[in-house]
């Protein structure tokens, strides 16, 4: 399924944390990253994605006016109160989503570097399988300890995945999971864990290691470095595309749906068109 072909996606953007480990004078989602608050990166991204029908921002009421410049009276944006635990915040956000939503997409505002491609991929997987989560293979060696002092055993990391957000699922599964969690008094640490309690399958969508969660002060320089690298790549691709347009007499290289391609993608597409013309001749 092509990116953006799924409509009715209800986003729950979690921004209610206080970020005590950042040791800052404000919640971490309002610290500036590359010239704008961390929260604005995710909010602007989701506002610009195809298929997003609503965005429920879970944030304390005292900070909502700070988003006025980004929201600009967009009727898709709603607010919900943070809960005591993460699952409570997700539940509050769920109550503000449209009844006819096709999927619920839960994202942590402390992950401002997620890409549109990652989001579309996990949405596609959730549409097909019912629930999906962005994740990357675990890099570090993981050991288990029973007492916090001595190693009990080493865990086989070949079977371990580091879980990211967004985490996407059908609304019915999430509501059914919440009912079971509440009835049995279960505590869960992430969103698809609620679905796992049913039990129901959750598809792993392979993401990017750059989708870091900003938790401590050391994470900010890393995030800035990633954004700088992306900016440099974008400029390079833009120059490459401009050069190809000049070589072709100013003609833009377009994809099968008319969208402009850039860099390597444009080159490959141009080659396919040339091969097709040669064959036809």
């Amino acid at each position: 399924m092509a990116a953006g072909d799924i409509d009715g996606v209800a986003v729950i953007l979690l921004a209610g944390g206080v970020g005590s480990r950042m040791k800052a004078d404000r919640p971490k989602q309002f610290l500036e990253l590359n010239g704008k608050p961390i929260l604005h990166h995710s909010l602007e991204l989701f506002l610009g994605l195809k298929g997003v029908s609503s965005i429920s921002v879970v944030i304390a009421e005292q900070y909502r006016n700070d988003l006025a410049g980004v929201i600009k009276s967009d009727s898709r944006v709603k607010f919900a109160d943070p809960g005591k635990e993460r699952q409570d915040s997700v539940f509050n956000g769920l109550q503000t989503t449209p009844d006819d939503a096709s999927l619920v997409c839960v994202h942590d505002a402390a992950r401002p570097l997620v890409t549109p491609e990652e989001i579309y991929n996990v949405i596609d997987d959730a549409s097909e399988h019912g629930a999906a989560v962005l994740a990357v293979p675990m890099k570090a060696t993981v050991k288990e300890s029973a007492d916090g002092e001595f190693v009990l055993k080493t865990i086989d990391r070949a079977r371990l995945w580091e879980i990211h957000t967004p985490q996407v699922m059908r609304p019915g599964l999430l509501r059914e999971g919440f009912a079971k969690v509440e009835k049995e008094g279960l505590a869960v640490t992430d969103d698809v864990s609620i679905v796992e309690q049913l039990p129901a399958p959750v598809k792993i969508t392979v993401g990017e290691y750059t989708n870091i969660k900003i938790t401590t002060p050391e994470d900010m320089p890393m995030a800035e470095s990633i954004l700088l690298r992306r900016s440099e790549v974008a400029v390079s691709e833009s120059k490459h595309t401009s050069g190809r347009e000049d070589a072709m007499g100013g003609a833009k290289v377009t994809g099968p749906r008319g969208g402009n391609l850039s860099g390597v993608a444009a080159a490959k597409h141009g080659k396919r068109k040339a091969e097709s013309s040669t064959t036809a001749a």
Side-chain angles (χ1 to χ4, degrees), residues 122-123 125-126 130-134 166-169 192 201-205:
V122 71
I123 285 174
D125 281 346
V133 59
L134 271 184
Q167 302 185 17
V168 187
M169 59 230 79
V192 292
V202 176
K203 178 73 169 64
I204 293 174
T205 303

Side-chain angles (χ1 to χ4, degrees), residues 77-254:
V77 179
K78 303 174 178 63
F79 292 104
D81 294 326
K84 182 179 179 180
E85 304 293 343
R86 180 190 179 92
Q87 66 194 66
D88 302 318
S89 293
V90 175
F91 180 83
N92 292 346
L94 183 62
Q95 308 316 303
T96 67
T97 59
D99 292 336
D100 60 351
S102 62
L103 293 169
V104 173
C105 173
V106 184
H107 185 61
D108 194 332
R111 292 188 184 273
L113 304 181
V114 67
T115 65
E117 182 180 13
E118 287 178 289
I119 296 171
Y120 284 134
N121 286 345
V122 71
I123 285 174
D124 284 349
D125 281 346
S127 179
E128 180 178 352
H129 301 281
V133 59
L134 271 184
V136 293
M138 181 72 72
K139 286 183 177 181
T141 297
V142 180
K143 296 184 183 291
E144 180 181 347
S145 172
D147 57 9
E149 294 188 14
F150 294 92
V151 172
L152 178 62
K153 63 179 179 179
T154 301
I155 308 297
D156 181 8
R157 69 180 175 189
R159 301 178 61 184
L160 299 180
W161 290 77
E162 179 183 323
I163 301 303
H164 293 176
T165 66
Q167 302 185 17
V168 187
M169 59 230 79
R170 293 173 187 155
L173 284 176
L174 188 55
R175 291 190 176 95
E176 188 180 349
F178 266 122
K180 181 173 182 179
V181 166
E182 183 178 4
K183 180 180 179 180
E184 300 182 11
L186 303 175
V188 293
T189 57
D190 71 343
D191 317 309
V192 292
S193 295
I194 298 170
V195 175
E196 292 170 30
Q197 298 298 325
L198 292 176
V202 176
K203 178 73 169 64
I204 293 174
T205 303
V206 180
E208 301 287 343
Y209 287 101
T210 53
N211 185 18
I212 64 172
K213 184 175 182 179
I214 296 179
T215 305
T216 63
E218 294 76 18
D219 297 325
M220 291 293 281
M222 184 182 301
E224 291 170 351
S225 176
I226 292 170
L227 287 174
L228 176 61
R229 175 57 182 159
R230 287 179 181 176
S231 177
E232 291 172 346
V233 170
V235 170
S236 176
E237 288 185 347
S238 177
K239 289 180 179 178
H240 184 78
T241 302
S242 178
R244 284 193 54 78
E245 289 177 9
D246 291 341
M248 298 177 69
K252 290 185 177 181
V253 183
T254 60

Side-chain angles (χ1 to χ4, degrees), residues 17-28 31 108 110 213-220:
V18 295
S20 58
R21 282 176 286 182
M22 287 297 294
K23 300 177 181 178
D25 60 352
R26 73 200 88 165
K28 63 182 176 183
L31 296 177
D108 194 332
K213 184 175 182 179
I214 296 179
T215 305
T216 63
E218 294 76 18
D219 297 325
M220 291 293 281

